[in-house]
């Protein structure tokens, strides 16, 4: 397995994290140190004829660190020189919406938060910069990414942990400037149409859940269902994740192969489906990140391509961090990368072991994905939230058979629903057929998430991470010991059976 891009990806991640969270002077220091290490390694290679296999790793790692530090240093300098940086008071700001406004804080406050790109302060055009906006919901809910607005805001210092220049609190509803880009308007039509058809075809909690499962639209998802999914370890299903892309793209590839398409045609179709799905759910940074991880995960599921999945994951991490440095400190990015790595590195071995235990291939695949995801993400979740979910593996396994069906059929219904009244009728028929599957998911989340011991409180931070990793390692060692013993007993039994058959054959002769 090709692991050469793992070290550069980790280097880029660490340097980016230092630049985002650490002092701004750290980037010039990393740049100088990285350059010196590259020069020293090349000098040693030429002077003492050191093997390039060793020198190359050092040069690539140090070179990536220096390149990342230089790019991030320039961006930090641009941020610090921005007119909003260090500014306080009130001002009228022209901005472009970057992502969907989301509920912020207690529901009764009716506040939303969204990330924007600042374009002008007053009448003065300024360099584009990222900022966070908190506002009252009226006038903000339903705004599409790419929409330009103008609003009076109070300016405060940013929270840190990203490249935003300030935090903005809107004094009222925004003034709309023009219309969103055609791509975003089209995606908005798809989302609203799917939500309307879901409301007419389904009832109660199912109507709000389906758009979340299909395109990550949680606007109609009830708080009870949201809490139950979180407690059961299923909350990742209601957000656009790599799993959505892998499932939808995997279904398209399977269909192409079923009708006789060549592997190259299937691969191209998979890329087209990923691009189309990005357009459908809006190309925000989180969606593009999920698309990258979904492509890597899909590559990992193809057994003949497993060796290429690790370099693809490394490229996705490097590219994502260089383009969006704020991902370095985002828990969602870390969980997505770690889960994808588990799918690539651990899930195939677990799947093969389960098959040796005579577990059906489909069940073994589902169990392997759920176990691998839980094992590799549990330490991070413990570090972030101070909890360890006991029922997550079981919950994900029992809902896995319906997740793929809902994702594929729901995406198909979202597209068919655009074809006027006839399309809406067909889409509603398809969505109504998903009622049993949605009921099953809600029931699983309610039962397992409602258990008092579903999530165990443990120390957060590094202590909780170390605790979970220790228990995971002990459990894996114990299981491995039992598996080895079982395999030896099985091999011994087979040898005895073989000897018995040979003896019987000799006695007959």
């Amino acid at each position: 397995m090709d692991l050469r891009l793992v070290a550069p990806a980790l280097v880029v991640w660490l340097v980016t994290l230092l630049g985002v969270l650490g002092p701004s002077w750290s980037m010039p220091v990393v740049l100088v140190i990285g350059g010196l290490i590259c020069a020293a390694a090349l000098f040693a290679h030429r002077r003492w004829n050191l093997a390039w296999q060793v020198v190359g790793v050092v040069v690539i790692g140090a070179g990536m660190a220096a390149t990342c530090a230089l790019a991030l240093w320039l961006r930090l300098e641009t941020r610090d020189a921005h007119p909003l940086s260090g500014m306080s008071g009130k001002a009228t700001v022209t901005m472009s919406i970057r992502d969907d406004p989301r509920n912020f804080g207690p529901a009764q406050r009716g506040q939303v938060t969204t990330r924007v790109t600042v374009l002008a302060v007053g009448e003065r055009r300024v360099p584009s910069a990222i900022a966070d906006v908190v506002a009252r919901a009226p006038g903000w809910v339903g705004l599409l990414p790419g929409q330009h607005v103008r609003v009076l805001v109070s300016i405060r210092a940013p929270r840190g942990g990203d490249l935003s220049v300030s935090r903005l609190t809107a004094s009222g509803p925004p003034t709309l400037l023009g219309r969103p880009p055609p791509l975003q308007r089209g995606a908005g039509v798809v989302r609203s149409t799917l939500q309307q058809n879901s409301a007419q075809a389904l009832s109660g909690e199912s109507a709000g859940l389906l758009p979340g499962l299909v395109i990550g639209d949680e606007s109609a998802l009830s708080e009870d269902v949201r809490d139950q999914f979180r407690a059961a370890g299923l909350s990742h299903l209601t957000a656009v994740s790599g799993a959505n892309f892998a499932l939808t793209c995997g279904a398209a590839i399977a269909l192409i192969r079923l009708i006789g398409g060549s592997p190259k045609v299937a691969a191209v179709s998979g890329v087209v489906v990923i691009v189309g799905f990005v357009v459908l759910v809006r190309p925000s940074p989180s969606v593009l990140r999920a698309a990258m991880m979904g492509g890597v995960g899909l590559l990992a599921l193809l057994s003949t391509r497993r060796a290429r999945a690790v370099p693809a994951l490394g490229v996705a991490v490097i590219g994502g961090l260089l383009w969006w440095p704020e991902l370095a400190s985002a828990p969602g990015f870390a969980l997505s990368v770690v889960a994808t790595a588990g799918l690539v590195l651990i899930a195939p071995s677990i799947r093969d072991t389960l098959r040796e235990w005579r577990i059906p291939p489909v069940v073994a695949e589902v169990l392997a994905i759920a176990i691998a995801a839980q094992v590799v993400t549990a330490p991070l979740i413990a570090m972030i939230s101070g909890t360890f979910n006991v029922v997550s593996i079981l919950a994900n396994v029992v809902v896995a058979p319906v997740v793929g069906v809902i994702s594929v059929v729901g995406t198909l219904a979202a597209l068919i629903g655009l074809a006027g009244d006839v399309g809406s009728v067909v889409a509603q028929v398809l969505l109504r057929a998903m009622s049993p599957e949605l009921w099953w998911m809600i029931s699983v989340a309610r039962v397992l998430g409602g258990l008092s011991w579903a999530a165990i409180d443990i120390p957060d931070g590094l202590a909780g991470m170390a605790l979970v990793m220790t228990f995971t390692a002990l459990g894996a060692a114990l299981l491995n010991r039992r598996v080895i013993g079982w395999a030896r007993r099985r091999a011994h039994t087979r040898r005895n059976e073989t000897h018995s058959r040979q003896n019987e054959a000799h006695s007959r002769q």
Side-chain angles (χ1 to χ4, degrees), residues 338-357:
V338 170
T340 305
L343 179 64
V344 171
L345 299 174
I346 301 177
S349 298
I350 298 175
R351 176 198 60 198
D352 295 341
T353 300
L354 293 175
R355 286 179 177 177
E356 290 178 359
W357 293 355

Side-chain angles (χ1 to χ4, degrees), residues 2 82 138 176 465:
D2 192 346
H82 195 273
L176 304 184
M465 183 177 183

Side-chain angles (χ1 to χ4, degrees), residues 279-448:
V279 173
L280 176 63
V281 299
R282 299 182 185 158
S284 64
S286 60
V287 171
L288 292 173
R289 177 205 75 203
M292 290 189 297
M293 296 305 159
V296 174
L298 184 65
L299 197 62
L301 291 178
L302 304 175
S303 58
T304 59
R305 304 290 185 185
R306 185 187 170 192
R308 300 182 186 178
V310 175
L313 179 58
V315 171
V317 170
I318 294 172
L321 290 173
L322 290 177
W323 193 259
W324 302 292
E326 59 267 25
L327 291 179
S329 59
F333 179 70
L335 290 171
S336 182
V337 172
V338 170
T340 305
L343 179 64
V344 171
L345 299 174
I346 301 177
S349 298
I350 298 175
R351 176 198 60 198
D352 295 341
T353 300
L354 293 175
R355 286 179 177 177
E356 290 178 359
W357 293 355
R358 297 183 180 179
I359 293 178
V362 175
V363 178
E365 193 78 45
V366 172
L367 282 172
I369 293 173
I371 293 172
Q374 172 71 1
V375 167
V376 298
T377 59
L380 274 180
I381 295 174
M383 183 180 70
I384 296 168
S385 63
T387 59
F388 177 76
N389 199 302
V390 179
V391 301
S392 176
I393 293 179
L394 176 61
N396 280 276
V397 167
V398 296
V399 303
V402 302
V403 170
V405 176
I406 294 174
S407 296
V408 175
V409 175
T411 302
L412 185 62
L415 298 176
I416 293 176
L418 300 176
D421 294 337
V422 175
S424 294
V425 172
V426 175
Q428 290 176 26
V429 171
L430 291 174
L431 295 176
R432 197 169 289 115
M434 295 295 98
S435 295
E437 289 84 352
L438 293 166
W439 170 85
W440 173 250
M441 292 190 70
I442 293 173
S443 299
V444 170
R446 180 178 294 117
V447 172
L448 295 181

